[in-house]
Amino acid sequence: MIDLFAAAEESAAYTIAAIRDHPVRIPLLMGMVAIFPLIYGYTARIYHGGSKPPDLSNPLELLIDGIRLMIVSFIYALPFIGAIIILGSRSDLLLNLITHAESGLLFSEVGAIFFLMVGIILLYAAVILFSMIGVIRTARSGRIRDGFAFSAILAHIRRIGGVSYFSAVVFYTVIAFLVSLPAGYMMELSLLGYIPAFFIYALVTVFAARYFTLVFESGLPDPSAEE
């Protein structure tokens, strides 16, 4: 069972080392946040493991790796995107059903909204839980199909521990939300706010990549082996 606080502490130290040991990485990572295929490519290098942050050499390789991870992430997001589109296109019908519902909790306004929200949350959770393992598998193998080997992904989640893995995702989500909230506020204030916001996003990205690498590696049959 992975120690979430130890993983978060180690990931924070890793993130600090990434910019402390090579200060030139700071503007480069901030620029890569704007050109997001590159930042995806950098996370792919972090997903490979290792105690030291990877370098930023070979931008073309970063771009290719980043595009590969973006494709996997986008495919995983399609069910969630589809659900949002369907709800948006049927909003009038849904509103009409809710407005004219009169009997029972299930068919009441509160009940309809409750079950709708639960459905969206469950779908989002399923996408996140599968996609994180899938993305890391693709980053390590360089093959998109490995990101959708669902039986292998389920087996990996079982080795991590379903409760441990779910707790790790929730734990990270809370941390990322609290850290990223000021960044969103800064971007709303002025264009200059994008500078510290991109700095925060770069740090969160490196932290997240290292954190989920540790979570992933806790489910490997052997610390030096991959599936």
Side-chain angles (χ1 to χ4, degrees), residues 25-48 54-71 135 139 198 201-202 205-206 209:
R25 279 189 183 138
I26 297 175
L28 291 176
L29 288 173
M30 290 171 63
M32 288 163 63
V33 170
I35 310 174
F36 49 89
L38 291 177
I39 199 68
Y40 268 81
Y42 190 64
T43 61
R45 290 185 179 179
I46 297 176
Y47 289 147
H48 279 278
D55 58 39
L56 296 171
S57 61
N58 200 335
L60 180 58
E61 182 181 290
L62 284 174
L63 181 64
I64 293 172
D65 289 343
I67 291 174
R68 187 183 294 118
L69 292 198
M70 286 178 61
I71 291 172
V135 163
F198 276 22
Y201 286 140
T205 299
V206 173

Side-chain angles (χ1 to χ4, degrees), residues 120-144:
I120 292 176
I121 291 172
L122 289 176
L123 178 60
Y124 178 76
V127 168
I128 292 297
L129 292 174
F130 274 85
S131 66
M132 272 317 312
I133 300 296
V135 163
I136 296 176
R137 282 173 55 85
T138 292
R140 291 192 165 208
S141 70
R143 296 187 297 268
I144 290 177

Side-chain angles (χ1 to χ4, degrees), residues 4-218:
L4 300 184
F5 290 99
E9 184 178 1
E10 200 279 343
S11 301
Y14 181 95
T15 303
I16 292 172
I19 61 175
R20 180 195 60 209
D21 299 341
H22 299 278
V24 72
R25 279 189 183 138
I26 297 175
L28 291 176
L29 288 173
M30 290 171 63
M32 288 163 63
V33 170
I35 310 174
F36 49 89
L38 291 177
I39 199 68
Y40 268 81
Y42 190 64
T43 61
R45 290 185 179 179
I46 297 176
Y47 289 147
H48 279 278
S51 59
K52 295 183 178 180
D55 58 39
L56 296 171
S57 61
N58 200 335
L60 180 58
E61 182 181 290
L62 284 174
L63 181 64
I64 293 172
D65 289 343
I67 291 174
R68 187 183 294 118
L69 292 198
M70 286 178 61
I71 291 172
V72 174
S73 299
F74 177 73
I75 293 174
Y76 267 109
L78 284 177
F80 187 71
I81 295 173
I84 297 297
I85 292 175
I86 292 172
L87 288 176
S89 64
R90 300 293 181 177
S91 58
D92 292 340
L93 176 60
L94 181 63
L95 182 61
N96 184 60
L97 289 173
I98 293 175
T99 303
H100 293 85
E102 297 177 353
S103 61
L105 176 61
L106 178 61
F107 300 102
S108 68
E109 180 177 347
V110 174
I113 294 176
F114 172 77
F115 286 110
L116 180 62
M117 291 301 297
V118 168
I120 292 176
I121 291 172
L122 289 176
L123 178 60
Y124 178 76
V127 168
I128 292 297
L129 292 174
F130 274 85
S131 66
M132 272 317 312
I133 300 296
V135 163
I136 296 176
R137 282 173 55 85
T138 292
R140 291 192 165 208
S141 70
R143 296 187 297 268
I144 290 177
R145 66 175 180 273
D146 286 346
F148 303 99
F150 297 115
S151 60
I153 292 173
L154 281 172
H156 200 106
I157 292 174
R158 282 195 293 268
R159 287 195 297 271
I160 296 172
V163 174
S164 295
Y165 183 46
F166 182 77
S167 300
V169 172
V170 172
F171 185 71
Y172 163 74
T173 301
V174 173
I175 293 176
F177 175 77
L178 293 177
V179 174
S180 299
L181 199 59
Y185 180 70
M186 292 173 188
M187 291 171 68
E188 290 181 0
L189 288 178
S190 68
L191 289 176
L192 290 177
Y194 278 77
I195 297 175
F198 276 22
F199 176 70
I200 292 174
Y201 286 140
L203 295 183
V204 170
T205 299
V206 173
F207 174 90
R210 180 57 181 167
Y211 175 81
F212 281 109
T213 298
L214 294 175
V215 173
F216 179 88
E217 290 178 345
S218 72

